Amino acid sequence: MSNTPVTTPAPLGKKLGAWLYDALISVAIYFLWVTFTSPLIRWIIGGNKDWLADTSWKDTTIYQYYMITPWLFVLLYFVYNHVKSGQTVGMSAWKLRLVKLDGTRVTWLQATARSILSILGAGMISSVFNAQKRGWHDLMTRTRVVLMPDPKPDPKKDA
């Protein structure tokens, strides 16, 4: 295996495909959070109350934490996967990888900043106007998304 860094910028279509996969995972994380914590919240505010209809609890600190927590899990999903392998599930499916400009793995700080700055994928559209196909969140964090090469067939396996 070569140590030459991959430098082929990822095309917008593949980035959008990966974004769609990861958006579905983000929605799943949110729904799992609500599904498994709803009984707890219902118990905290008092038994059989309809906690979705009861607006008085929405002014509480518990509600504020309740609403921000699933987004922190989504952020953790992106940051952890970007640092660990450079790929989320969607990026892996579309053969994309997030790397530093020199082709090495991103740091925790870069991954966190990039994930926060790339809210809802809006920065991806700006990559169309950049010669290196880097979105504004990539420019600000000194990262890039590259297209992974197809693995070369092993001649020993064919024999």
Side-chain angles (χ1 to χ4, degrees):
M1 178 182 235
S2 171
N3 287 336
T4 307
V6 179
T7 59
T8 307
L12 181 61
K14 286 191 176 247
K15 288 187 211 177
L16 289 172
W19 179 87
L20 180 61
Y21 282 33
D22 289 327
L24 292 173
I25 290 172
S26 298
V27 168
I29 290 170
Y30 185 83
F31 281 117
L32 286 170
W33 171 256
V34 170
T35 299
F36 288 110
T37 59
S38 294
L40 177 63
I41 296 299
R42 189 174 303 225
W43 175 76
I44 289 172
I45 65 166
N48 292 329
K49 278 184 163 179
D50 183 2
W51 68 278
L52 290 174
D54 181 14
T55 58
S56 65
W57 91 288
K58 293 183 179 178
D59 295 328
T60 66
T61 304
I62 292 172
Y63 180 77
Q64 302 305 318
Y65 285 123
Y66 179 77
M67 293 307 293
I68 193 103
T69 302
W71 299 113
L72 293 175
F73 283 126
V74 169
L75 179 67
L76 181 63
Y77 162 75
F78 283 98
V79 172
Y80 176 77
N81 283 297
H82 285 156
V83 171
K84 180 182 155 219
S85 65
Q87 298 177 303
T88 59
V89 171
M91 293 172 80
S92 178
W94 287 91
K95 296 181 179 164
L96 304 177
R97 177 164 282 144
L98 177 67
V99 295
K100 290 184 193 179
L101 293 179
D102 64 3
T104 60
R105 288 186 181 178
V106 296
T107 65
W108 284 95
L109 182 61
Q110 283 177 307
T112 303
R114 185 183 186 278
S115 295
I116 292 170
L117 292 169
S118 64
I119 301 292
L120 301 176
M124 204 178 340
I125 303 304
S126 66
S127 69
V128 173
F129 306 105
N130 181 285
Q132 298 171 332
K133 297 184 180 174
R134 292 171 57 209
W136 58 269
H137 53 291
D138 288 317
L139 294 169
M140 293 176 73
T141 57
R142 303 186 49 78
T143 60
R144 60 188 169 147
V145 178
V146 295
L147 183 62
M148 297 303 297
D150 287 329
K152 298 193 179 182
D154 188 2
K156 295 177 185 174
K157 284 186 179 180
D158 293 335

